[in-house]
Amino acid sequence: MPMDETLGELAAAAAELNKASDQLNAVIENFEDRLAEAGVGLTHWMEDELNVVERSPWQTNFDADAEAHWESCSGWVLGYMKIDGVWRVVVRRMGINRVNADHEWEFFATRDQHARPLVNAPRVVRLEALRKLEALAAQLTERMRDYTDGILEAQKLAQ
């Protein structure tokens, strides 16, 4: 296949991918608009990390002379929070470290405090997050109901 033809196919594939990405962002923005219209105003992070194929594999430090060995990997977590005065669907990196001391594994999760709007995340992260938007809405609903129940209970105690 001549180079010009190959590059032409590449350009066409890139245009299709960019168009699909724009449509993906439109779905995310529509979801954000609907949450804003509903008046959702609380921060929430989902417990499970996104199943993103490009996530970092476990990195290992097994030093025969060390007292403990560690492994780590990273992924992405989906949430909802206010950024620059606007409630947004967001993601942030999450690192998981596990340390083996005395032949027992201990797990430690670390989360990057720098959340970014989902529409600005890598394409693969946006695609996987799209599959979790319904679960995010359900969890937000549950948290709001919990808050409401807590407020009603506090009002009863105050009377």
Side-chain angles (χ1 to χ4, degrees):
M1 182 181 294
M3 180 69 77
D4 286 343
E5 190 176 329
T6 301
L7 291 175
E9 288 181 15
L10 174 70
E16 288 176 32
L17 179 58
N18 289 329
K19 181 178 178 182
S21 292
D22 291 344
Q23 293 169 344
L24 177 63
N25 281 352
V27 170
I28 294 166
E29 290 166 349
N30 180 53
F31 182 77
E32 287 179 330
D33 291 345
R34 294 186 68 187
L35 292 179
E37 288 169 10
V40 178
L42 59 89
T43 298
H44 177 70
W45 290 99
M46 297 185 74
E47 292 285 325
D48 300 329
E49 79 180 74
L50 297 174
N51 184 23
V52 175
V53 174
E54 74 173 14
R55 75 181 222 193
S56 301
W58 285 100
Q59 296 179 357
T60 307
N61 174 28
F62 283 112
D63 181 348
D65 297 328
E67 292 181 21
H69 306 292
W70 61 267
E71 295 181 327
S72 65
C73 76
S74 66
W76 294 86
V77 179
L78 180 65
Y80 186 71
M81 68 180 288
K82 190 181 270 192
I83 295 182
D84 297 328
V86 179
W87 288 97
R88 305 293 304 263
V89 176
V90 295
V91 290
R92 66 180 174 191
R93 282 205 173 273
M94 182 176 107
I96 301 172
N97 300 308
R98 61 184 184 180
V99 178
N100 182 346
D102 298 324
H103 305 291
E104 291 186 26
W105 286 104
E106 296 180 35
F107 288 85
F108 305 93
T110 58
R111 294 193 175 164
D112 177 0
Q113 297 304 312
H114 303 288
R116 69 174 86 172
L118 179 58
V119 295
N120 296 337
R123 194 176 282 128
V124 66
V125 174
R126 285 180 281 154
L127 182 58
E128 179 61 24
L130 189 66
R131 296 179 175 109
K132 303 280 187 175
L133 292 183
E134 186 175 349
L136 176 61
Q139 289 181 18
L140 284 165
T141 300
E142 184 177 332
R143 290 226 29 228
M144 287 187 290
R145 287 183 176 148
D146 288 346
Y147 276 114
T148 301
D149 292 346
I151 291 168
L152 295 175
E153 186 176 322
Q155 286 175 338
K156 287 180 186 176
L157 292 173
Q159 292 177 355

